[in-house]
Structures are given as structure tokens and as C-alpha cells.
Amino acid sequence: MNKHTPASNVQPVSRFPVPKLKDMPPDVRARIEAVQERSGFIPNVFLVLAHRPDEFRAFMAYHDTLMDKADGLSKAEREMIVVATSAANQCQYCVVAHGAILRIRAKNPLVADQIAINYRKADITPRQRTMLDFAMKVALEAETVGDEDFKVLKKQGFSEEEIWDIGAIAAFFALSNRMANLTAMRPNDEFYKLGR
Amino acid sequence: MNKHTPASNVQPVSRFPVPKLKDMPPDVRARIEAVQERSGFIPNVFLVLAHRPDEFRAFMAYHDTLMDKADGLSKAEREMIVVATSAANQCQYCVVAHGAILRIRAKNPLVADQIAINYRKADITPRQRTMLDFAMKVALEAETVGDEDFKVLKKQGFSEEEIWDIGAIAAFFALSNRMANLTAMRPNDEFYKLGR
Amino acid sequence: MNKHTPASNVQPVSRFPVPKLKDMPPDVRARIEAVQERSGFIPNVFLVLAHRPDEFRAFMAYHDTLMDKADGLSKAEREMIVVATSAANQCQYCVVAHGAILRIRAKNPLVADQIAINYRKADITPRQRTMLDFAMKVALEAETVGDEDFKVLKKQGFSEEEIWDIGAIAAFFALSNRMANLTAMRPNDEFYKLGR
Amino acid sequence: MNKHTPASNVQPVSRFPVPKLKDMPPDVRARIEAVQERSGFIPNVFLVLAHRPDEFRAFMAYHDTLMDKADGLSKAEREMIVVATSAANQCQYCVVAHGAILRIRAKNPLVADQIAINYRKADITPRQRTMLDFAMKVALEAETVGDEDFKVLKKQGFSEEEIWDIGAIAAFFALSNRMANLTAMRPNDEFYKLGR
Amino acid sequence: MNKHTPASNVQPVSRFPVPKLKDMPPDVRARIEAVQERSGFIPNVFLVLAHRPDEFRAFMAYHDTLMDKADGLSKAEREMIVVATSAANQCQYCVVAHGAILRIRAKNPLVADQIAINYRKADITPRQRTMLDFAMKVALEAETVGDEDFKVLKKQGFSEEEIWDIGAIAAFFALSNRMANLTAMRPNDEFYKLGR
Amino acid sequence: MNKHTPASNVQPVSRFPVPKLKDMPPDVRARIEAVQERSGFIPNVFLVLAHRPDEFRAFMAYHDTLMDKADGLSKAEREMIVVATSAANQCQYCVVAHGAILRIRAKNPLVADQIAINYRKADITPRQRTMLDFAMKVALEAETVGDEDFKVLKKQGFSEEEIWDIGAIAAFFALSNRMANLTAMRPNDEFYKLGR
């Protein structure tokens, strides 16, 4: 809870009911407790989506396969895609939470805000700029993706598998951003300061 | 393959490699063979996404929990949401494939095309119109979803859980449409005629 | 009438009064009866526009001079332009009715739906793709048409007269789509299945 | 020709060939000579469209039945619709030529420029404001026209036939504006000063 | 006041209070009386902004340093930027008032209306077209301005200082247009005819 | 300079020449040294705009009269308007720098990021939400501002003078954001952490 604002103005965690840990299915609860132990707090996305355990499981499985992959794009680059496209979708939870992760992964306290506000002016490489141009295209007008885009990406050294990753991360957060805006998912206060 | 067009113009099934059944992990293959047996053909979405088995599994789990639910919105209504939002995203695969399913589920050969082109003029109930207005908002400008929208939906008799379903289906197909446009996923010829 | 839907949900043929054949001026009536004999039914556009005989005559004269021309673009290509631009304008009548004509003219049951949903991924030639890119520009942002566009079209072998035709068909259906959306013109049930 | 600019910068009358009076079909030529006698000059739209006599005839017939009607909307109001929607479509010919006609018909030297730039702030009645709101909707997003719009118009006293007229004029100039932008139709210098 | 319209339809000079000359601070009043002497009337922008003397002073200082500069862009070119971007922002006051100034500065009675409606088809040089393309980019999507834009401008011979001027004028009128639309600033009747 | 990124990726302070303190006119230099003493560093906006001393003076005078006013809107509320509209314009400098000021003025470490990403979900009062809705309208579509907007604001208790302030701040930052994007103005590293 935000201590800096009159309680009446503080937005709740979700528009929908938020289950208690003790009422969750054991696997969902176990997953959440593991995160809590690692991070010191429970990111609200886990609580909000636990309202629907089956969706929770599919969401987390999808997220992990795209974001925890060892080869190809770096973990910081994956988070750059999340931050850029989530900002375009005005998703408060994803920009704040993944902005924090990006700061940590990139060991750079500035780049998350730079990308969120205008990725074209961030302290990134030309290759990363090309990556984000494509991610934004998938996020905002995927219907126009064509062979030309693939040529531009390959000229920057991206493999076919990396291109799939860029597009798939943008596509997954198209879902994620909409769920966060549907549920009015509140970013935890803890995220704002992490990695600064 | 489209027999009606010079082979050189026929678009392929995917921009990315499409695995053979025999090379797929057993669970993925089993799932696909079950669909094939039921439908008489393999919808291309299964072949295209099988290129990435982990994403395949998460995608199908997410899809099934949203689309195969017994209570609340009818199955035809769920497909209406898919068709309306996928048309807005210009997703060829999803409109053609789910248009076919909608015709079958609604036992109505006209409604899928009507909704795909302009859902505001389809032969649907005012309640379904309200449902699609909200689904389109989640698909196209989820950042503006607010309390007013929930009031309008509740006035039409939608419960909180049904509202989550409407939004979650629109959100899931935001992902699905982008994957289809990223991969240039080709709708199977069989879908075009089903349920007409 | 759509037999598959409760009568209360079925949209009427027009928001405006629809005249009876016997009350129409003889030339309008003759034209309509000729179509009826040839097609087996009266396409609703004739009934809806007959409410205003002078506009009916000008509309049909304009339509015929653009769509029935023998040389230059093929008849199927002219219908492709209609379907692509009418889909962009969300015109139910034009997409359904001209989609049927396109299927017949192109002897191809798939191409109309492909073009309506996302013409960039249809089974068409690169030359036809260029034609539709230009038609969409005229339909959606004609104010930006410039010399560059003409160069691109000429490189694909289009003559000046063919370029006029592409633009003029897109322009005429800008009118037609708006009249159909103004009157809520209902596509006849018969069109949905033709040519599949 | 604009005498105030180096000849090299002056845009031509049309991107397409412009026929000579003596080479036109007699009825087209007669129509043009009648206009010339009445106005003292030949508005370029006649010369540009005469390149295609059949389209010329249909265009003029359509134009006249909508714009020369005696009852319902006043002639000035019809021109207001043309100027507002043509400005939204950035059609130089239509705004300049019909702006002149509007100044003359309304006996008001200011209202054409006011409407072209921002019709919401023009010196018009609330009823005319409602008329233009609807015309702009037909021009820019006709797919969303619905029963609510008709209610608003009727509350301002518009009959069904007048609503058709508003929509049909907006629809016809959707065609006209696109033909002018396709052909780069140049407004005659004479129009700029008329009625000021 | 517009004598051609029933008084009840004539829009006022401002939505906010308009001070009398005698109530203004002496420096503001002196500046306004100087304009009045030179022009024969007081342009409404002076009266409307004098409601806030400090903003008035800053606004006029900013305006003069950008618009009265002797070297680089010509004064007519500076006014072209104002007219093109103000039309895109639908600012009645700026298009009418600066359109008049442009006609006078360019000694060309046509070019202001041409640029206001569709600058791409105005009687201007290719260099001026490039200048306006950039000004429109700053006005409408400044977040995408990048190195490529500077290259295009330099190829047309623009210096760095001239590029700053183009951008700064577009930026200043982004402010000016919004103040005019906020206050519903009415263009003086006198402007419409000047320089024709 | 960002120490966390390879020097080659770090964006410069401005696309244009940045003058040295010793080369600035005395008044400009004095103003900057006063800020430096107060803040401990020189915000880049001062250095970037000092390239043009006259514009610098007008800009700062305009800024101060709008942002340092004692009555009406609180200073935190003025900064909220800056952050919300600058985020909509993707202005990196303004969001980062004024975000810091907002955190300090509001004594709230969260509200700046919340407003920048999606002001509709920030921890603010309904009155502040109405204020930001109007500021965004002025920033993004000022041409549609009308009497209805004033009624909504007055119902929330805003006076005419406060409405002018809201609109004028949004208008001034429409200029400021465009100058920052034109010059690629880099936010100082110091701002990112202030007030967290």
C-alpha cells in the first residue's frame, strides 16, 4: 500500500477477488511462496491471476518458456521488449514490474525509464533498436509484418529463432498487458525502487 | 493447398519451419492426432506452433481453459469474441478457423461473416452486442477500461466472472492473432466451407 | 431472412423505406427484374437504393462503367479492389456480395475471405498486391497519393488508364460503402454461399 | 495559371490527360459550355473527368440530384457538408471550389473558411452543427453509424429524407475527394476570390 | 463581428474574459496600440492573451524571435510552416490570420489556402515541400524525429540552424494552436480578405 | 553520463551545439548558475536551449509564469499535467525531469510513474482525474474542446482561471515536448533517482 497518499485514493490490487494463499491449490501456492522467498514479497500478478488457477498455470508456463530461455536474446533484451511494448499499451503493472527487472538484468538504472518513455532515444545498441522496432510492430500492427521486416532483422544478425522470440514476447505481453488493464492490476510499491 | 491458384501464388503454412508429426514430442503429437481424428484434418495452428513444444503446450492449455468452459458464456458467444477481435487485428487464420467453429456452434451460417466484417450490424442480441463492444475495447484500447464499462456490462446481466471471460478471451486472442501474423499462419482450405 | 436466428435479432434490409417493385419507375423496375432473372434473387442494394430513383440511376451507371469494362484489369481484379477496400470500411453488404462475385469471377473459393481479412496474406500475385496497396491508399489516405505511388505501379506494368481504374473503383466504393453503412443495407442470405 | 509563382512550381490541372473541348462527346461538351457561359470559366473538375465520358456523366448526374434538390436542406447547408467533409479528406479542389459556392449560397464571406478549418467553431446554428457532426461521421467512420445518431438528428428536427441527404452528400464527396486526390485535380484560380 | 450571420450564431472573441485596453498594463497596451496603428485593427490574439499579461509577454517574445528573424528561412517560408501545422491542428485563428500574412509575405493569393488544405499539392518548391514534411512531423509525431530526417533536410540544403527554426516554429504553434482552441479564439473578420 | 552502458551507446545531451557557460550572455548564465546552486547540477534543458538565448528567455519566462504560480492548482497538480501530457508525447526529458519534481512536490515516490504510464490508474483524486482528462484533450485533440468540457470541470469545482491554467500548461508542454524531441534533449542521470 502507498503510504504517501490518502487511503481513499489508493487503487486496490485488482478489480476482481484476490484469493488468500491458504485457499489456493497447492501447486499455485507453492509457486507463489517460492517467488516470495526469492524476492521478499509477492508480485501482485501472482495474486491477481490466482483467482483462476488454470489460467494462472498456463500464463506462468508461457511466461517462463519465453523469458527464462538461456540462448539467443539476453535476458535484459527480453525485458527491453516487455518494457517497450507494455508502455505502448499503457500497462502500469508490466512497465513498473518489468522495468525493475530490466534495471537489474541490464545492471543499468536508466535504461528502463528511457525505453518506456521513448525507446528510440534510449542508451541501446543499433541492433537493440532494430529489435524494439520489430517488437513494436508486432505489438501495434502485426497485420503488416512482412518479408521486408525479416530482411532488416537478419541484416542486424538476428536468427530466425531470435525473431520468433522477439515476436512471441511482444505477442505474449499483448495478452499480459490486456489482463493487467482488465483487472486494474496494481504494481507493488516495492518495484519502483528496485535496481535504481 | 489451394487448387484454384497457380502454385506460385499460394502462401505457405508458416514463415518458420513446420515439424513433421514423427519428430514431435509424444504428448504434442498425441494431442494433434486426436484433433485430426475428430476433425478429419490437422488445423495448421497445431503444426505451426509445434515448432516450439513448450509454447505449444502453454498456448493450448490457455486456449482450452478459456474456450471449453461449461458455464457462463455459451460456446458460440466465446467464438463471437474471437471472430470480432481477430477481424479487428486482421488475423486471417483466426477469423477463418474460428468463423467456421462459430457457424457450427451457433448453428448459423451467416453470423460469423457478419461479425467479422462489422459486428455492430450482425444478427445478435443487444446483450451480445454489449459483450462484443467490451471485447473490442479490451482488444484495441484496454488502457481505457474503467468502472463505467463494468456498469454497462452488469446492466446487461453479465456477472463478474463472465466479464473476466470476455476480457480474457479478447486478451488471449491478442496473443494468438499476433502469433498468426508473425508466422503468417495459413488457414486450412477446409475451414472456409464448414458450417455454411 | 436468416432462418437460423430468432426473428427479433434479424436486422432489416434497410433503415429507410424499401419500395415495392410495382411502385418503382419502369426503368428502375426493369433493371431490377433483369438482375432477378439472371441471379435468381434481387440483391438488396437495388431495393435499398430504389428509394431514390435518380440516385439509383447514377449509382448503377457509375458502377457499370467501372466494373463491366472489358480491357485492362480483369473482372476478378476489379472485385479484389472492392473486397479489400470495403473490408477496410467495414461494409457488410459490399464484402459479402462482392466477395461472392469475386469467388465466381476468380474461380477461387478462398481468395475473397483472404483478401477481406488481410489482403497482404492472400494467394495473389505480387502485381495484384501492388494494386491492392494502392487501392487501400486511395480508400484510406488519398490525400497522400503522390508521384512515388505512380512509379511503383508502373514498375509493376500498370498503365495510366489501369491506375485510374484502380483509384476510381476504390473511390466509387468509398461512396458505396458509406451508403451501405448509412442505410444499414443487409446482404442477402444467398450471397454467403455462392462460389464456395 | 497562378501568376504569382515561378511557372516551375505551378501544379498542373490533372495527373492524367485532359481532353480538348473539340474532342469531347457532344453532350459532355454541351454541358461544359453551359457551365462556362454561366460562370465565365470552366471549373477544372469538368475537364479532368471528361477524360472518361461515361464516368463524367454518372458523376454529374449523381452530383446534381444531391446538390440541386429544392426541398429539405438549403443549398447552403448542402455546401457546408461538402466543405466540412472535403477538408477532413484534405481535398484541395473540393474545399476551394465548394468553399466559393458556399460563400455565395450563404451570402457569408467567412463561413466557408471557418467550416473548412474547424466546423465546431463556425458561425452556424446548433442544428447545422448537428448536421455536420453526422456528415463527418459518415465521412470518417461510417461503420459506427447507429440508431443513436438518428435519434440525435431527429431531435434537431431532421426528417428521415434529410438524414439520407446529409449522409448521401458526405458519401458522394467521399468519392469526389478521392477522385480529386487521385488525379491531383487543381482548383481554378478564379474560385479563391469568389464571394469574399 | 460577422454581419452576414444572425447575431445569435456569431461566436465570441474568447471563452474567457477579454480585458479593455485601458485596463491593461502599460507595456501590453503599448504593444497592442502599435499593432493597431500598423494594421488598422487589433488582431484578437492580442486581446485574448492580454487576459494574462505575463503569458502575453512571454508568448509575444517567443513569437517574435522565431518569426521576425532576418536570415535563413524567408518570412514567407516561416508563415508556410505556421499555416500547414495549424491546419493539421484545426486552429481557426492561426490558419485565418497567418494565412493572410502568408499571402502578403509570399505575394501570392493562392498559396495559403493550398497549404492549409493539402500542402502536398501546393505551388511550392521541392525544398519547401521537404521543409513542410518535417514541420508536420514535429507537429504530429515529434517522438519519431531521428537522424534520417536531418539527412533528408540537409540534402535539400537546409543548415542545422534552419532545421532548428523549422522545428521550433512548428513547436511554438503547437502551443499557440492549443491556446487558440482552448480559448475558442475568434479570427478577426478583416483577415479573411487580406492579400487576396 | 550513464556509467552503466558502453560509451558508444550513450546518447548525447543535444543534437545541436551546446554552449559553454562562459560563452553565454550574462543573464542566461546567471539564471543557470542559480539553478545549479539550488539543485547541485544543471538540468540539460537549460544547456540545450541556451544555444538560442532569446528563445531561452521566452521559454523560461513562459514556464515560470505557469508553473510557479501560488494560487489555484497546487504545484504538484501542475507537475501532474506535465507528466501525463509529456508521456503521451513520448518526451523523455520532460517525463524524467518533471517526474522527479512531481515526486518531490507530491511527497509521493509512486505517483509520477503511475501517471506517466496510465494516469487513469494512478493514486489520485477524482478531481485530479478530471483535470488530467482535460489536459490530455488539450494535448492530443484540442480542436474538439467545447462547452461540455468546461461544464465537467466546473462540476468538479475548477474555476475558469484554473481551467485556463490546466489548458495552458498542457499547451506549453506541447511546445516543450516538441523542442525536446527535436533536439533529442537527454535527461540528466540525476533526475531518475530524485524523490524515490
Side-chain angles (χ1 to χ4, degrees), chain F:
Chain F
M1 281 298 146
N2 178 349
K3 291 170 255 173
H4 314 274
T5 312
S8 61
N9 296 341
V10 177
Q11 303 291 322
V13 167
S14 171
R15 262 199 199 101
F16 292 88
V18 174
K20 295 193 175 149
L21 272 175
K22 68 179 176 62
D23 299 330
M24 296 179 188
D27 65 315
V28 171
R29 178 174 173 174
R31 161 100 206 220
I32 291 180
E33 287 174 339
V35 175
Q36 186 178 23
E37 202 169 294
R38 200 169 58 239
S39 319
F41 65 99
I42 304 175
N44 287 336
V45 64
F46 290 93
L47 299 176
V48 174
L49 295 186
H51 176 57
R52 294 270 184 107
D54 283 342
E55 296 175 37
F56 176 100
R57 292 179 190 107
F59 183 96
M60 295 304 162
Y62 218 133
H63 174 278
D64 294 353
T65 188
L66 289 173
M67 301 303 289
D68 295 347
K69 220 173 170 176
D71 54 338
L73 308 177
S74 74
K75 287 197 176 170
E77 284 168 342
R78 292 171 198 268
E79 297 295 336
M80 284 178 187
I81 296 169
V82 179
V83 171
T85 61
S86 299
N89 288 328
Q90 301 186 37
C91 177
Q92 219 171 67
Y93 185 86
C94 298
V95 175
V96 172
H98 287 271
I101 304 175
L102 171 52
R103 285 191 295 272
I104 292 168
R105 295 261 152 99
K107 298 189 205 317
N108 180 328
L110 309 187
V111 76
D113 290 348
Q114 290 173 344
I115 286 177
I117 304 168
N118 189 343
Y119 75 97
R120 302 172 202 84
K121 299 199 174 146
D123 294 338
I124 55 176
T125 64
R127 188 173 179 274
Q128 289 165 342
R129 165 70 193 265
T130 299
M131 173 187 82
L132 293 181
D133 281 340
F134 184 67
M136 292 297 263
K137 193 167 193 177
V138 173
L140 299 177
E141 42 164 354
E143 67 274 15
T144 67
V145 166
D147 294 343
E148 272 314 303
D149 300 305
F150 281 69
K151 273 186 214 157
V152 171
L153 287 156
K154 286 178 180 176
K155 198 177 291 180
Q156 281 285 1
F158 290 105
S159 70
E160 289 243 314
E161 294 305 311
E162 286 168 331
I163 297 174
W164 176 300
D165 275 357
I166 299 169
I169 293 169
F172 177 73
F173 280 86
L175 153 64
S176 181
N177 295 167
R178 281 162 182 77
M179 286 310 296
N181 271 320
L182 171 70
T183 58
M185 193 183 288
R186 179 184 179 80
N188 305 57
D189 292 13
E190 287 85 347
F191 282 124
Y192 291 78
K193 242 181 177 161
L194 285 177
R196 295 213 175 260

Side-chain angles (χ1 to χ4, degrees), chain B residues 50-120:
Chain B
H51 176 57
R52 294 272 184 104
D54 283 342
E55 296 176 36
F56 177 101
R57 291 180 191 107
F59 183 96
M60 295 304 162
Y62 217 133
H63 174 277
D64 293 353
T65 187
L66 289 173
M67 301 303 289
D68 295 347
K69 220 173 170 176
D71 53 339
L73 307 178
S74 75
K75 288 198 175 169
E77 285 169 340
R78 292 170 198 268
E79 298 296 335
M80 285 178 187
I81 297 168
V82 179
V83 170
T85 61
S86 300
N89 288 328
Q90 300 186 38
C91 177
Q92 219 172 67
Y93 185 86
C94 298
V95 175
V96 171
H98 287 271
I101 305 175
L102 172 53
R103 286 191 294 271
I104 291 168
R105 294 261 152 99
K107 298 189 207 314
N108 179 329
L110 309 187
V111 77
D113 290 349
Q114 290 175 344
I115 287 176
I117 304 168
N118 189 343
Y119 75 96
R120 301 172 202 83

Side-chain angles (χ1 to χ4, degrees), chain A residues 61-112:
Chain A
Y62 217 134
H63 174 277
D64 294 353
T65 187
L66 289 173
M67 300 303 287
D68 295 348
K69 218 174 172 175
D71 53 339
L73 308 177
S74 74
K75 287 198 177 171
E77 285 169 340
R78 291 170 198 269
E79 297 296 336
M80 286 179 187
I81 297 169
V82 179
V83 171
T85 60
S86 299
N89 289 328
Q90 301 185 39
C91 178
Q92 219 172 68
Y93 186 85
C94 299
V95 175
V96 172
H98 288 272
I101 305 175
L102 171 53
R103 285 191 295 271
I104 292 168
R105 294 262 153 98
K107 298 187 205 316
N108 180 329
L110 310 186
V111 75

Side-chain angles (χ1 to χ4, degrees), chain B residues 5 108 121 123 181 186, chain C residues 5 108 114 121 123 181 186:
Chain B
T5 311
N108 179 329
K121 300 202 172 144
D123 294 338
N181 271 320
R186 180 184 179 80
Chain C
T5 310
N108 179 329
Q114 291 174 343
K121 300 202 172 144
D123 294 337
N181 271 320
R186 179 184 180 80

Side-chain angles (χ1 to χ4, degrees), chain E residues 24 26-27 36 47 69 71 86-87 111 124 130 138 145 152 177 179 183:
Chain E
M24 297 178 187
D27 65 315
Q36 187 177 24
L47 299 176
K69 218 173 172 176
D71 53 338
S86 300
V111 75
I124 56 176
T130 299
V138 172
V145 167
V152 171
N177 296 166
M179 286 309 297
T183 58

Side-chain angles (χ1 to χ4, degrees), chain C residues 21 54 67 79 91 98 103 113 124 156 158 168 174 179:
Chain C
L21 270 176
D54 283 342
M67 301 303 288
E79 298 295 335
C91 178
H98 287 272
R103 286 191 294 272
D113 290 349
I124 56 176
Q156 280 286 1
F158 289 105
M179 286 309 297

